[in-house]
Coordinates of all heavy atoms in Angstrom, one line a residue:
M1 N 95.0 -59.0 17.1 CA 94.3 -58.0 16.3 C 93.6 -57.1 17.3 O 92.9 -57.5 18.3 CB 93.3 -58.7 15.4 CG 92.4 -57.8 14.7 SD 91.1 -58.5 13.7 CE 91.9 -59.6 12.7
Y2 N 93.6 -55.8 17.0 CA 93.0 -54.8 17.9 C 91.7 -54.3 17.2 O 91.7 -54.1 16.0 CB 93.9 -53.6 18.3 CG 95.0 -54.0 19.1 CD1 96.2 -54.5 18.6 CD2 94.9 -54.0 20.5 CE1 97.3 -54.8 19.5 CE2 96.0 -54.3 21.4 CZ 97.1 -54.8 20.8 OH 98.1 -55.0 21.7
C3 N 90.7 -54.1 18.1 CA 89.4 -53.6 17.6 C 89.5 -52.2 17.1 O 90.1 -51.4 17.9 CB 88.3 -53.8 18.7 SG 86.7 -53.1 18.0
R4 N 89.1 -51.8 16.0 CA 89.2 -50.3 15.5 C 88.2 -49.5 16.1 O 88.3 -48.3 16.0 CB 89.2 -50.3 14.0 CG 87.9 -50.8 13.5 CD 87.8 -50.7 11.9 NE 86.9 -51.7 11.5 CZ 86.6 -52.0 10.3 NH1 87.2 -51.3 9.4 NH2 85.6 -52.8 10.0
Y5 N 87.3 -50.1 16.9 CA 86.2 -49.2 17.5 C 86.5 -49.0 19.0 O 86.4 -47.8 19.5 CB 84.8 -49.9 17.5 CG 84.4 -50.1 16.0 CD1 84.5 -51.4 15.4 CD2 84.0 -49.1 15.2 CE1 84.1 -51.6 14.0 CE2 83.6 -49.3 13.8 CZ 83.7 -50.5 13.3 OH 83.2 -50.6 12.1
C6 N 87.0 -50.0 19.8 CA 87.2 -49.8 21.2 C 88.6 -50.1 21.5 O 89.0 -49.8 22.7 CB 86.3 -50.7 21.9 SG 86.6 -52.5 21.9
G7 N 89.4 -50.6 20.7 CA 90.8 -50.8 21.0 C 91.2 -52.1 21.8 O 92.3 -52.3 22.1
E8 N 90.1 -53.0 22.0 CA 90.4 -54.2 22.7 C 91.2 -55.2 21.8 O 91.0 -55.3 20.7 CB 89.0 -54.9 22.9 CG 89.1 -56.1 23.8 CD 89.4 -56.0 25.3 OE1 89.3 -54.9 25.8 OE2 90.0 -57.0 25.8
K9 N 92.1 -56.0 22.5 CA 92.9 -57.0 21.8 C 92.2 -58.3 21.8 O 91.5 -58.7 22.6 CB 94.2 -57.3 22.6 CG 95.1 -58.2 21.8 CD 96.4 -58.3 22.4 CE 97.2 -59.4 21.6 NZ 98.5 -59.5 21.9
N10 N 92.0 -58.7 20.5 CA 91.3 -60.0 20.1 C 92.2 -60.9 19.5 O 93.2 -60.5 18.9 CB 90.1 -59.6 19.3 CG 89.0 -58.7 19.9 OD1 88.3 -59.2 20.6 ND2 89.1 -57.5 19.6
P11 N 91.8 -62.3 19.6 CA 92.6 -63.3 18.8 C 92.5 -62.9 17.2 O 91.7 -62.4 16.8 CB 91.9 -64.6 19.1 CG 91.0 -64.3 20.3 CD 90.7 -62.9 20.4
E12 N 93.6 -63.3 16.6 CA 93.6 -63.1 15.1 C 92.5 -63.7 14.3 O 92.1 -63.2 13.4 CB 95.0 -63.7 14.5 CG 96.2 -62.8 15.0 CD 96.2 -61.4 14.4 OE1 95.7 -61.2 13.3 OE2 96.5 -60.5 15.3
E13 N 92.0 -64.9 14.7 CA 90.9 -65.6 14.1 C 89.5 -65.0 14.4 O 88.5 -65.4 13.8 CB 91.0 -67.1 14.2 CG 90.7 -67.5 15.6 CD 92.0 -67.6 16.5 OE1 93.1 -67.3 16.0 OE2 91.7 -67.8 17.8
A14 N 89.4 -64.1 15.3 CA 88.1 -63.6 15.8 C 87.5 -62.7 14.7 O 88.1 -62.1 13.9 CB 88.3 -62.7 17.0
V15 N 86.2 -63.0 14.6 CA 85.4 -62.2 13.6 C 84.7 -61.0 14.3 O 84.7 -59.9 13.8 CB 84.3 -63.1 13.0 CG1 83.4 -62.3 12.0 CG2 84.9 -64.3 12.3
F16 N 84.3 -61.2 15.5 CA 83.7 -60.0 16.3 C 84.6 -59.7 17.5 O 85.2 -60.5 18.1 CB 82.3 -60.5 16.8 CG 81.4 -60.7 15.6 CD1 81.1 -61.9 15.3 CD2 80.7 -59.6 15.0 CE1 80.2 -62.2 14.2 CE2 79.8 -59.9 14.0 CZ 79.6 -61.1 13.5
C17 N 84.5 -58.4 17.9 CA 85.3 -58.0 19.1 C 84.6 -58.6 20.4 O 83.4 -58.6 20.5 CB 85.2 -56.5 19.2 SG 86.0 -55.8 20.7
K18 N 85.5 -59.0 21.3 CA 84.9 -59.7 22.5 C 84.5 -58.6 23.4 O 83.7 -58.9 24.4 CB 86.0 -60.6 23.2 CG 87.2 -59.9 23.6 CD 88.2 -61.0 24.2 CE 89.5 -60.2 24.7 NZ 90.4 -61.2 25.1
N19 N 84.9 -57.4 23.3 CA 84.5 -56.3 24.2 C 83.2 -55.5 23.7 O 82.1 -55.4 24.4 CB 85.5 -55.3 24.3 CG 85.2 -54.2 25.4 OD1 84.6 -54.4 26.4 ND2 85.6 -52.9 25.0
C20 N 83.2 -55.0 22.5 CA 82.1 -54.2 22.0 C 81.2 -55.0 21.0 O 80.0 -54.5 20.8 CB 82.6 -52.9 21.3 SG 83.5 -53.2 19.8
G21 N 81.6 -56.2 20.5 CA 80.8 -57.0 19.7 C 80.7 -56.6 18.2 O 79.9 -57.2 17.4
K22 N 81.5 -55.5 17.9 CA 81.4 -55.1 16.5 C 82.3 -56.0 15.6 O 83.2 -56.6 16.1 CB 81.9 -53.6 16.3 CG 81.0 -52.7 17.1 CD 80.9 -51.4 16.4 CE 80.0 -50.5 17.3 NZ 79.8 -49.3 16.6
R23 N 82.0 -56.1 14.3 CA 82.7 -56.9 13.4 C 84.1 -56.4 13.2 O 84.4 -55.2 13.0 CB 82.0 -56.9 12.0 CG 82.7 -57.9 11.0 CD 81.8 -57.9 9.7 NE 80.6 -58.7 9.8 CZ 80.7 -60.0 9.8 NH1 81.7 -60.8 9.6 NH2 79.5 -60.7 9.9
L24 N 85.1 -57.4 13.3 CA 86.6 -56.9 13.3 C 87.0 -56.8 11.8 O 87.8 -55.9 11.4 CB 87.4 -57.9 14.0 CG 87.1 -57.9 15.6 CD1 88.0 -59.1 16.2 CD2 87.6 -56.6 16.1
K25 N 86.6 -57.8 11.0 CA 87.0 -57.9 9.6 C 85.9 -57.4 8.6 O 84.7 -57.8 8.9 CB 87.5 -59.2 9.2 CG 88.7 -59.7 10.1 CD 89.2 -61.1 9.7 CE 90.3 -61.5 10.5 NZ 90.7 -62.9 10.2
E26 N 86.2 -56.8 7.6 CA 85.1 -56.4 6.6 C 84.8 -57.6 5.8 O 85.6 -58.5 5.5 CB 85.7 -55.4 5.6 CG 85.9 -54.0 6.3 CD 84.7 -53.3 6.7 OE1 83.7 -53.4 6.0 OE2 84.7 -52.7 7.8
E27 N 83.5 -57.8 5.5 CA 83.0 -58.9 4.7 C 83.6 -58.7 3.2 O 83.6 -57.6 2.7 CB 81.6 -58.9 4.7 CG 81.0 -59.4 6.0 CD 79.5 -59.6 5.8 OE1 79.1 -60.0 4.8 OE2 78.8 -59.2 6.8
V28 N 84.0 -59.7 2.6 CA 84.4 -59.6 1.3 C 83.2 -59.8 0.3 O 82.5 -60.7 0.4 CB 85.5 -60.8 0.9 CG1 85.9 -60.7 -0.5 CG2 86.7 -60.6 1.8
K29 N 82.9 -58.8 -0.4 CA 81.7 -58.7 -1.2 C 82.0 -59.2 -2.6 O 83.1 -58.8 -3.2 CB 81.1 -57.3 -1.3 CG 80.6 -56.8 0.0 CD 79.9 -55.5 -0.2 CE 79.4 -55.1 1.2 NZ 78.9 -53.7 1.1
K30 N 81.4 -60.3 -3.1 CA 81.6 -60.8 -4.3 C 80.8 -59.9 -5.4 O 79.7 -59.5 -5.1 CB 81.0 -62.2 -4.4 CG 81.8 -63.2 -3.6 CD 81.2 -64.6 -3.7 CE 82.0 -65.5 -2.8 NZ 81.3 -66.9 -2.9
P31 N 81.5 -59.7 -6.5 CA 80.8 -58.9 -7.5 C 79.5 -59.6 -8.0 O 79.6 -60.8 -8.2 CB 81.8 -58.7 -8.6 CG 82.9 -59.7 -8.4 CD 82.8 -60.1 -7.0
E32 N 78.5 -58.8 -8.2 CA 77.3 -59.4 -8.7 C 77.2 -59.4 -10.2 O 77.5 -58.4 -10.8 CB 76.0 -58.6 -8.1 CG 74.7 -59.1 -8.5 CD 73.6 -58.4 -7.8 OE1 73.8 -57.8 -6.7 OE2 72.6 -58.2 -8.4
V33 N 76.9 -60.5 -10.8 CA 76.9 -60.7 -12.3 C 75.4 -60.5 -12.6 O 74.5 -61.3 -12.3 CB 77.5 -62.0 -12.6 CG1 77.5 -62.1 -14.2 CG2 79.0 -62.2 -12.2
I34 N 75.1 -59.6 -13.5 CA 73.8 -59.4 -14.0 C 73.9 -59.8 -15.6 O 74.5 -59.1 -16.3 CB 73.3 -58.0 -13.9 CG1 73.2 -57.7 -12.4 CG2 72.0 -57.8 -14.5 CD1 73.0 -56.3 -12.0
E35 N 73.1 -60.7 -15.9 CA 73.1 -61.2 -17.3 C 72.0 -60.5 -18.1 O 70.9 -60.3 -17.5 CB 72.9 -62.7 -17.5 CG 74.0 -63.5 -16.9 CD 73.7 -65.0 -17.0 OE1 72.9 -65.4 -17.9 OE2 74.4 -65.8 -16.3
K36 N 72.3 -60.0 -19.2 CA 71.4 -59.3 -20.1 C 70.5 -60.3 -20.9 O 71.1 -61.4 -21.4 CB 72.0 -58.4 -21.1 CG 72.7 -57.2 -20.4 CD 73.2 -56.3 -21.5 CE 73.9 -55.0 -20.9 NZ 74.4 -54.1 -21.9
P37 N 69.2 -60.2 -20.9 CA 68.5 -61.1 -21.7 C 68.7 -60.9 -23.3 O 69.2 -59.9 -23.6 CB 67.0 -60.7 -21.4 CG 67.0 -59.3 -21.0 CD 68.4 -59.1 -20.4
K38 N 68.5 -62.0 -24.0 CA 68.8 -61.9 -25.3 C 67.8 -60.9 -26.0 O 66.6 -60.8 -25.5 CB 68.5 -63.3 -26.1 CG 69.5 -64.3 -25.6 CD 69.2 -65.6 -26.2 CE 70.1 -66.6 -25.9 NZ 69.8 -68.0 -26.4
T39 N 68.2 -60.1 -27.0 CA 67.5 -59.1 -27.7 C 66.2 -59.7 -28.3 O 65.1 -59.0 -28.3 CB 68.2 -58.3 -28.6 OG1 68.8 -59.2 -29.6 CG2 69.4 -57.6 -27.9
D40 N 66.2 -60.9 -28.9 CA 65.1 -61.5 -29.6 C 64.0 -61.6 -28.5 O 62.7 -61.4 -28.8 CB 65.4 -62.7 -30.3 CG 66.3 -62.5 -31.5 OD1 66.2 -61.4 -32.0 OD2 67.1 -63.4 -31.7
Q41 N 64.3 -62.2 -27.4 CA 63.3 -62.6 -26.3 C 62.7 -61.3 -25.8 O 61.6 -61.1 -25.5 CB 63.9 -63.4 -25.3 CG 64.3 -64.8 -25.7 CD 64.9 -65.6 -24.5 OE1 65.4 -65.0 -23.5 NE2 65.0 -66.8 -24.7
N42 N 63.6 -60.3 -25.6 CA 63.1 -59.0 -25.0 C 62.1 -58.3 -25.9 O 61.2 -57.8 -25.4 CB 64.4 -58.0 -24.9 CG 64.0 -57.0 -23.8 OD1 63.0 -56.9 -23.2 ND2 65.0 -56.0 -23.8
N43 N 62.4 -58.2 -27.1 CA 61.5 -57.7 -28.1 C 60.2 -58.4 -28.2 O 59.2 -57.8 -28.2 CB 62.1 -57.6 -29.5 CG 63.2 -56.6 -29.7 OD1 63.3 -55.7 -28.8 ND2 64.1 -56.8 -30.6
Y44 N 60.2 -59.7 -28.1 CA 58.9 -60.5 -28.1 C 58.1 -60.2 -26.9 O 57.0 -59.9 -26.9 CB 59.2 -62.0 -28.1 CG 58.0 -62.9 -28.0 CD1 57.2 -62.9 -29.1 CD2 57.8 -63.5 -26.9 CE1 56.1 -63.7 -29.0 CE2 56.6 -64.3 -26.7 CZ 55.7 -64.4 -27.8 OH 54.6 -65.1 -27.7
Q45 N 58.8 -60.1 -25.7 CA 58.1 -59.7 -24.5 C 57.4 -58.4 -24.6 O 56.3 -58.2 -24.1 CB 59.0 -59.9 -23.3 CG 59.4 -61.3 -23.0 CD 60.5 -61.4 -21.8 OE1 61.1 -60.3 -21.4 NE2 60.7 -62.6 -21.4
Q46 N 58.2 -57.4 -25.1 CA 57.6 -56.1 -25.1 C 56.3 -56.1 -26.0 O 55.3 -55.4 -25.7 CB 58.6 -55.2 -25.6 CG 59.7 -54.8 -24.6 CD 60.8 -53.9 -25.1 OE1 60.8 -53.6 -26.3 NE2 61.7 -53.4 -24.3
S47 N 56.4 -56.7 -27.2 CA 55.3 -56.6 -28.1 C 54.1 -57.4 -27.6 O 53.0 -57.0 -27.8 CB 55.8 -57.2 -29.5 OG 56.0 -58.5 -29.4
S48 N 54.3 -58.5 -27.0 CA 53.2 -59.3 -26.5 C 52.6 -58.5 -25.3 O 51.3 -58.5 -25.1 CB 53.6 -60.7 -25.9 OG 54.5 -60.6 -24.8
T49 N 53.3 -57.8 -24.4 CA 52.8 -57.0 -23.3 C 51.9 -55.8 -23.9 O 50.9 -55.6 -23.5 CB 53.9 -56.4 -22.5 OG1 54.7 -57.5 -22.0 CG2 53.4 -55.7 -21.2
T50 N 52.4 -55.2 -25.0 CA 51.8 -54.1 -25.6 C 50.4 -54.5 -26.1 O 49.3 -53.9 -25.9 CB 52.6 -53.4 -26.6 OG1 53.8 -53.1 -26.1 CG2 51.9 -52.2 -27.1
T51 N 50.4 -55.6 -26.8 CA 49.2 -56.1 -27.4 C 48.1 -56.5 -26.3 O 47.0 -56.1 -26.5 CB 49.5 -57.4 -28.2 OG1 50.5 -57.0 -29.2 CG2 48.2 -57.9 -28.9
S52 N 48.5 -57.2 -25.2 CA 47.5 -57.6 -24.2 C 47.0 -56.4 -23.5 O 45.9 -56.2 -23.2 CB 48.2 -58.5 -23.2 OG 49.2 -57.9 -22.6
S53 N 47.9 -55.3 -23.2 CA 47.2 -54.2 -22.6 C 46.3 -53.3 -23.4 O 45.4 -52.8 -22.9 CB 48.5 -53.2 -22.1 OG 49.2 -52.7 -23.2
T54 N 46.6 -53.3 -24.7 CA 45.7 -52.6 -25.6 C 44.3 -53.3 -25.7 O 43.2 -52.7 -25.6 CB 46.3 -52.6 -27.0 OG1 47.5 -51.9 -27.0 CG2 45.4 -51.8 -28.0
T55 N 44.4 -54.7 -25.7 CA 43.1 -55.5 -25.7 C 42.4 -55.3 -24.5 O 41.1 -55.1 -24.4 CB 43.4 -56.9 -25.8 OG1 44.2 -57.2 -27.0 CG2 42.2 -57.8 -26.0
N56 N 43.0 -55.2 -23.3 CA 42.4 -54.9 -21.9 C 41.7 -53.5 -22.0 O 40.6 -53.4 -21.4 CB 43.3 -55.1 -20.8 CG 43.7 -56.6 -20.6 OD1 43.1 -57.4 -21.0 ND2 44.8 -56.7 -19.9
N57 N 42.5 -52.5 -22.6 CA 41.9 -51.2 -22.6 C 40.7 -51.0 -23.4 O 39.8 -50.3 -23.0 CB 43.0 -50.1 -23.0 CG 44.1 -49.9 -22.0 OD1 43.9 -50.3 -20.9 ND2 45.3 -49.5 -22.5
N58 N 40.7 -51.8 -24.6 CA 39.5 -51.8 -25.4 C 38.3 -52.4 -24.7 O 37.2 -51.9 -24.8 CB 39.8 -52.5 -26.8 CG 40.7 -51.7 -27.6 OD1 40.9 -50.5 -27.4 ND2 41.3 -52.4 -28.6
S59 N 38.5 -53.6 -24.1 CA 37.4 -54.3 -23.4 C 36.9 -53.4 -22.2 O 35.6 -53.4 -21.9 CB 37.8 -55.7 -23.0 OG 38.8 -55.6 -22.0
D60 N 37.8 -52.7 -21.5 CA 37.4 -51.9 -20.4 C 36.5 -50.7 -20.9 O 35.4 -50.4 -20.4 CB 38.5 -51.3 -19.7 CG 39.3 -52.3 -18.9 OD1 38.7 -53.4 -18.6 OD2 40.4 -52.0 -18.5
W61 N 36.8 -50.1 -22.1 CA 36.2 -49.0 -22.7 C 34.8 -49.4 -23.1 O 33.7 -48.9 -22.9 CB 37.0 -48.6 -23.8 CG 36.3 -47.4 -24.6 CD1 35.7 -47.5 -25.8 CD2 36.0 -46.1 -24.1 NE1 35.2 -46.3 -26.2 CE2 35.3 -45.4 -25.2 CE3 36.3 -45.4 -23.0 CZ2 34.9 -44.1 -25.1 CZ3 35.9 -44.0 -22.9 CH2 35.2 -43.4 -23.9
I62 N 34.7 -50.6 -23.7 CA 33.4 -51.2 -24.1 C 32.5 -51.4 -22.9 O 31.3 -51.1 -23.0 CB 33.5 -52.5 -25.0 CG1 34.2 -52.1 -26.4 CG2 32.3 -53.1 -25.3 CD1 34.7 -53.2 -27.2
S63 N 33.0 -52.1 -21.9 CA 32.2 -52.4 -20.7 C 31.7 -51.1 -20.1 O 30.6 -51.0 -19.6 CB 33.1 -53.0 -19.7 OG 33.6 -54.3 -20.2
C64 N 32.5 -50.1 -20.1 CA 32.1 -48.7 -19.4 C 30.9 -48.2 -20.3 O 30.0 -47.8 -19.7 CB 33.3 -47.8 -19.4 SG 32.8 -46.2 -18.7
C65 N 31.0 -48.2 -21.6 CA 30.0 -47.7 -22.4 C 28.7 -48.4 -22.3 O 27.6 -47.9 -22.2 CB 30.4 -47.7 -24.0 SG 31.7 -46.6 -24.3
L66 N 28.8 -49.8 -22.2 CA 27.5 -50.6 -22.1 C 26.9 -50.3 -20.7 O 25.6 -50.3 -20.7 CB 28.0 -52.1 -22.1 CG 28.3 -52.6 -23.6 CD1 28.7 -54.0 -23.5 CD2 27.2 -52.4 -24.5
C67 N 27.7 -50.1 -19.7 CA 27.1 -49.8 -18.4 C 26.4 -48.4 -18.4 O 25.3 -48.3 -17.9 CB 28.2 -49.8 -17.3 SG 28.8 -51.4 -16.8
L68 N 26.9 -47.4 -19.0 CA 26.3 -46.2 -19.2 C 25.1 -46.2 -20.0 O 24.0 -45.6 -19.6 CB 27.3 -45.2 -19.8 CG 28.5 -44.7 -18.9 CD1 29.4 -43.9 -19.7 CD2 28.0 -44.0 -17.7
I69 N 25.1 -47.0 -21.0 CA 23.9 -47.1 -21.9 C 22.8 -47.8 -21.0 O 21.5 -47.4 -21.1 CB 24.2 -48.0 -23.1 CG1 24.9 -47.1 -24.1 CG2 22.8 -48.4 -23.9 CD1 25.5 -47.8 -25.3
A70 N 23.1 -48.9 -20.2 CA 22.1 -49.5 -19.3 C 21.5 -48.6 -18.3 O 20.3 -48.6 -18.1 CB 22.8 -50.7 -18.8
I71 N 22.3 -47.7 -17.8 CA 21.9 -46.8 -16.8 C 20.9 -45.8 -17.4 O 20.0 -45.4 -16.9 CB 23.0 -46.0 -16.1 CG1 23.8 -47.0 -15.2 CG2 22.6 -44.9 -15.2 CD1 25.1 -46.5 -14.7
F72 N 21.3 -45.3 -18.6 CA 20.4 -44.4 -19.4 C 19.1 -45.0 -19.6 O 18.1 -44.3 -19.5 CB 21.1 -43.9 -20.6 CG 20.3 -43.0 -21.5 CD1 20.3 -41.7 -21.1 CD2 19.7 -43.5 -22.6 CE1 19.5 -40.7 -21.8 CE2 18.9 -42.6 -23.3 CZ 18.8 -41.3 -23.0
I73 N 19.0 -46.3 -20.1 CA 17.8 -47.0 -20.3 C 17.0 -47.1 -19.0 O 15.8 -46.9 -19.1 CB 18.1 -48.3 -21.0 CG1 18.6 -48.1 -22.4 CG2 16.8 -49.2 -21.1 CD1 19.1 -49.3 -23.1
I74 N 17.5 -47.4 -18.0 CA 16.8 -47.6 -16.7 C 16.2 -46.3 -16.3 O 15.0 -46.2 -15.9 CB 17.7 -48.1 -15.6 CG1 18.2 -49.6 -15.9 CG2 17.1 -48.1 -14.2 CD1 19.3 -50.2 -15.0
F75 N 16.9 -45.2 -16.4 CA 16.4 -43.9 -16.1 C 15.3 -43.5 -17.0 O 14.3 -42.8 -16.6 CB 17.5 -42.7 -16.0 CG 18.2 -42.8 -14.7 CD1 19.6 -42.9 -14.7 CD2 17.7 -42.7 -13.5 CE1 20.4 -43.0 -13.6 CE2 18.4 -42.7 -12.3 CZ 19.7 -42.9 -12.3
A76 N 15.4 -43.8 -18.3 CA 14.3 -43.5 -19.3 C 13.1 -44.3 -18.9 O 12.0 -43.7 -19.0 CB 14.8 -43.8 -20.7
I77 N 13.2 -45.6 -18.5 CA 12.0 -46.3 -18.2 C 11.4 -45.8 -16.9 O 10.1 -45.6 -16.8 CB 12.4 -47.8 -18.0 CG1 12.8 -48.4 -19.3 CG2 11.3 -48.6 -17.4 CD1 13.4 -49.8 -19.3
I78 N 12.2 -45.5 -15.8 CA 11.6 -45.0 -14.6 C 10.9 -43.6 -14.7 O 10.0 -43.3 -14.2 CB 12.8 -44.9 -13.6 CG1 13.2 -46.3 -13.1 CG2 12.3 -44.1 -12.3 CD1 14.5 -46.3 -12.2
G79 N 11.6 -42.8 -15.6 CA 11.0 -41.4 -15.9 C 9.8 -41.4 -16.6 O 9.0 -40.4 -16.6
S80 N 9.5 -42.5 -17.4 CA 8.2 -42.6 -18.1 C 7.0 -42.9 -17.3 O 5.9 -42.7 -17.7 CB 8.3 -43.7 -19.2 OG 8.4 -44.9 -18.7
F81 N 7.2 -43.2 -16.0 CA 6.0 -43.5 -15.1 C 5.4 -42.3 -14.6 O 5.6 -41.4 -14.0 CB 6.4 -44.6 -14.0 CG 6.6 -45.9 -14.6 CD1 7.8 -46.6 -14.5 CD2 5.6 -46.7 -15.1 CE1 8.0 -47.8 -14.9 CE2 5.7 -47.9 -15.5 CZ 7.0 -48.5 -15.4

């Protein structure tokens, strides 16, 4: 077998060229199998994710409002002196 890059003669069972070191034979790529999830499980995951993100957004909004109210009260107390 001859190297297609440098033309060096190599043994038939060789994987790499003995002169330039490049791969002599192409790797055989196996097709990748991708399985689709069941539609029932997928819908359940989407609905549970939406519910939890909405709950987090509501608690973040409430926390922000409480912090602003606390800051306003602190400034009102300091301003009264």
